[in-house]
Amino acid sequence: MSDVSILAMQISRKRIRRYAVIGVVVVAVIAAMALDTKVVKIGSADDAQEQGFSPDSYGQKTFPTIQQDVLSRAVEAKTLAEALQANQAEAVKKYGVGTPLPVFAVKLEGVVQAGQMGIFPLKVEGMPEGTQVRLQTGPAITGTDLRDASGKIQFGDFTNQIEYQNAGSAINRAMKTTVLDKLDREALPGKTVQVVGVFRLLNAKNWMVTPVSMEVK
């Protein structure tokens, strides 16, 4: 056998051994991956952990608690408006939640006026002159008044600002599903509504109420 043939056979054997070693390593890696793989059932607690923070799940879970808290603390609109007019600092201390822009829980009955983009002025009997009340009904619900209404949901409960903001939006969506989804907005003007909701004190004479319950008479 020539030297060339012998050399070719030696190279071939080395290649075979190298490929065999590579094959063994690949099999070992696949086996290790299989042992380390965790099967997670969709919808389980482990699934939630794998996916991370779910805003909509949080909103659906949290809104009923917020709703009950607001219903239990809501102050008559006339009483609250007069208190704010008489002594805003005292009214904030007595009825408000949070600083520097407190949120108030309020209940009222009013006649719906013509509105735009789902926001309707309300004519509420007994309100001090110059005080305007508006009601937001969607389809887009803005603000974080519901999230901040109880004072119990804090930034530190979340990983970052994005989660904190997403939580507020998700609570708004949960409220809309529970309270407003069957609302005929076009038919509202002229109707009397009973509302319990919240508003943030941006202007003591201009309230934007986000409802937690609403009845159209």
Side-chain angles (χ1 to χ4, degrees), residues 141-186:
I141 302 297
T142 62
T144 57
D145 299 1
L146 290 176
R147 183 197 68 191
D148 302 337
S150 69
K152 297 176 182 177
I153 300 174
Q154 303 294 323
F155 174 74
D157 299 335
F158 302 89
T159 302
N160 51 45
Q161 180 64 38
I162 294 174
E163 279 193 6
Y164 190 44
Q165 192 67 30
N166 287 344
S169 299
I171 291 168
N172 289 350
R173 289 193 294 272
M175 180 280 292
K176 191 176 78 167
T177 299
T178 304
V179 178
L180 301 174
D181 262 8
K182 296 181 180 180
L183 184 65
D184 184 354
R185 295 174 183 84
E186 293 184 0

Side-chain angles (χ1 to χ4, degrees), residues 80-81 83-85 87-93 95-105 131 145 198-208:
L80 181 54
L84 286 168
Q85 190 175 69
N87 189 322
Q88 183 169 309
E90 286 297 322
V92 168
K93 184 177 179 180
Y95 301 117
V97 172
T99 57
L101 299 174
V103 178
F104 293 89
T131 301
D145 299 1
V198 298
F199 70 92
R200 192 178 298 278
L201 189 64
L202 301 175
N203 184 331
K205 291 189 175 183
N206 193 341
W207 305 356
M208 172 75 84

Side-chain angles (χ1 to χ4, degrees), residues 55-69:
D56 285 322
S57 295
Y58 179 85
Q60 292 163 10
K61 178 182 178 180
T62 307
F63 173 67
T65 303
I66 294 171
Q67 183 183 47
Q68 290 303 312
D69 177 74

